[in-house]
Amino acid sequence: MSTLPIEPLTREAFAPFGDVIEASDAVRHFPINGGNTERYHDLARLDPGGDGRIIASIFRGQPRSLPFSITMLERHPRGSQAFIPLNGRDYLVVVATAPAAGALRCFLARSVQGVNYAAGTWHHPLLALDAVSDFLVLDRSGPGANCDEVVLGDACLIEPHILAAARLR
């Protein structure tokens, strides 16, 4: 079983899979409300598909114990799915260009970063770390099946020492 490296989550590295949602100088932002508030504008391409609508939910994720084996992936072919952390905790994001262990990438998402998976992006379900964590999830509701799951032929392992090193970067 191969070990999965953990990369920092950046807009550029995550672009093939969707959007990073965060307040930064790299995105369009401007003052509103008489200068009392800074608006970080249009951070994700939310896509409900032609026959769907965007819904807001809270997902409460149990922390994953490491080492953790990535053995499956899912995708939502009809719409995007955005995760925004609510508890100020880091979490992991595993994505792939294809449902195969060799195509996996793992990102350390900091507590101030959300992700928006583009429609059809292969990803692992929520990977909370350290403690029970809540996420605001914006995704599609509508007709038709919108979740494909696949079991990987080969698994990849997320090791605690690799996570510890990624957190020091």
Side-chain angles (χ1 to χ4, degrees), residues 25-104:
D25 288 339
V27 299
R28 183 172 173 221
H29 59 99
F30 46 88
I32 61 172
N33 299 336
N36 192 55
T37 301
E38 191 75 10
R39 178 178 177 146
Y40 292 83
H41 186 71
D42 196 15
L43 299 176
R45 291 175 292 278
L46 302 175
D47 176 12
D51 57 353
R53 65 184 183 90
I54 296 289
I55 60 169
S57 305
I58 292 180
F59 286 19
R60 180 161 291 152
Q62 300 299 312
R64 304 294 180 136
S65 296
L66 300 183
F68 183 79
S69 197
I70 302 296
T71 60
M72 63 82 67
L73 295 174
E74 67 178 27
R75 70 175 176 178
H76 306 284
R78 295 179 175 265
S80 62
Q81 189 178 45
F83 287 78
I84 302 152
L86 298 176
N87 297 115
R89 294 188 186 96
D90 296 348
Y91 61 104
L92 294 175
V93 175
V94 173
V95 290
T97 54
L104 293 176

Side-chain angles (χ1 to χ4, degrees), residues 71-74 99-100 122 148-152:
T71 60
M72 63 82 67
L73 295 174
E74 67 178 27
W122 289 104
D148 299 329
E149 293 184 357
V150 65
V151 174
L152 299 175

